[in-house]
Amino acid sequence: MHTSLFGLVNNAGRATPMAPTDWMQIDDFNTILDVNLIGLIEITLKLLPLLKKAKGRVVNVASVMGRLAFLGGGYCLSKWGVEAFSDILRRDMQHFGVKVSIIEPGCFKTGVTSSEVIERDLLRLWNQLTPEVRESYGDKYFVECKAQRFSMKRLCDSDISKVTKCMEHALIAKYPRTRYGSGWDAKFFWLPLSYAPTLLSDMMLRMLLPTPAASRKSVSRVQLDV
C-alpha cells in the first residue's frame, strides 16, 4: 500500500507573552518559539515524505507580524521564522511538485487575542521587573498597554472564514498563491506598511504604541532646552 498525504495545514500557535524586550526572560521566548516555529518545522519534516508522494500542498499560517515586527517577545520572531521556513521549503519542494503557501492574517478574534490571557502575562512580567526597569516605563505605560490590548481586541475581526477560505484555496485551487493576506487590516494597513521605508513605519508604530516614561521625560527636557 502506498500511503500519501495531499494537504498539511500548520495553524497551531500561541502569542503570549507579548511585551517590551527588556521585560522578558529567555524562557518567555522559548515558550512561543517551541510551538509556533519548531513545532511547525517538526511536523512538516515528519509528513514531508507523504506529501512528496502525493505532490501535495503545505499551508503555513504566519501573520502580518511576520512581515512587520512591532511587539516584543517570541511571537514576531516565530512568524518571521515561519515566513523564512516556508520560502525555503517552497523553493526546495518545487522540484517534486509540492506547493507551499503562506497565510498572513491580520487581527482576528481567537484564543490568541484573548485579552484575559494577554493581561495576565503582562501583569506577571510587570511584577517581576526590577525597580529600575519599572521606573523607566512608568505605571502609566503599563495602564496604556492594557488599554491598547483591549482596544485591539475590539478592532479584531470576528469573521474567521476570511482565513479558512484562504486555507481552502491554497489546498484545492489549481494555482494556489504563494501568500494570502487575510483581513482588511492586513490588506490595507499592515502589509502595505511593511513595504514602506523604515523611517515611516517606525514613525507610524510609535504613534500607535504607548510611550515609556523615560522617553517622555527626555522629550520634555529637549523642549525646555530649546
Side-chain angles (χ1 to χ4, degrees):
M1 183 175 70
H2 298 285
T3 305
S4 62
L5 175 69
F6 184 77
L8 169 64
V9 179
N10 285 308
N11 187 41
R14 59 172 296 165
T16 57
M18 282 193 285
T21 304
D22 53 350
W23 293 24
M24 300 286 179
Q25 304 293 326
I26 192 62
D27 286 345
D28 295 318
F29 287 92
N30 288 334
T31 298
I32 296 176
L33 291 168
D34 283 348
V35 176
N36 294 9
L37 181 58
I38 303 303
L40 179 147
I41 294 171
E42 185 175 6
I43 193 69
T44 302
L45 292 177
K46 285 183 177 178
L47 296 177
L48 205 50
L50 301 180
L51 289 158
K52 286 171 70 177
K53 285 181 182 178
K55 296 185 178 180
R57 309 282 175 90
V58 179
V59 183
N60 290 332
V61 180
S63 167
V64 291
M65 285 193 257
R67 298 280 293 276
L68 185 69
F70 56 90
L71 291 174
Y75 187 74
C76 289
L77 298 180
S78 70
K79 294 306 182 179
W80 279 71
V82 170
E83 293 271 352
F85 175 71
S86 301
D87 281 341
I88 294 165
L89 184 67
R90 184 184 67 254
R91 289 164 185 148
D92 286 344
M93 291 298 107
Q94 64 184 337
H95 306 291
F96 304 100
V98 176
K99 292 181 170 61
V100 180
S101 297
I102 306 167
I103 299 178
E104 298 165 338
C107 188
F108 285 87
K109 288 182 180 177
T110 65
V112 170
T113 56
S114 166
S115 58
E116 293 79 13
V117 175
I118 293 171
E119 279 193 33
R120 186 180 66 228
D121 268 312
L122 273 174
L123 182 61
R124 174 183 65 82
L125 294 170
W126 178 255
N127 287 336
Q128 71 184 22
L129 294 179
T130 64
E132 181 183 6
V133 174
R134 192 181 299 184
E135 184 181 352
S136 70
Y137 282 91
D139 292 337
K140 185 179 178 183
Y141 181 91
F142 177 64
V143 173
E144 287 177 350
C145 271
K146 292 200 295 182
Q148 181 203 45
R149 300 298 191 267
F150 179 72
S151 298
M152 284 182 68
K153 184 182 178 183
R154 291 179 64 188
L155 293 171
C156 285
D157 196 333
S158 60
D159 184 9
I160 303 297
S161 70
K162 290 186 175 79
V163 179
T164 56
K165 285 177 182 175
C166 293
M167 293 176 179
E168 182 182 3
H169 189 273
L171 285 171
I172 67 175
K174 185 175 181 179
Y175 300 108
R177 299 173 197 162
T178 302
R179 282 179 166 79
Y180 295 80
S182 182
W184 294 114
D185 61 324
K187 292 179 179 178
F188 296 109
F189 185 73
W190 297 117
L191 294 176
L193 189 59
S194 73
Y195 289 104
T198 304
L199 182 66
L200 177 60
S201 60
D202 282 359
M203 182 179 69
M204 290 290 293
L205 292 171
R206 184 165 183 165
M207 291 168 61
L208 291 171
L209 300 172
T211 304
S215 178
R216 288 195 292 265
K217 289 175 184 176
S218 65
V219 169
S220 299
R221 282 197 296 270
V222 168
Q223 289 173 342
L224 288 171
D225 291 342
V226 171

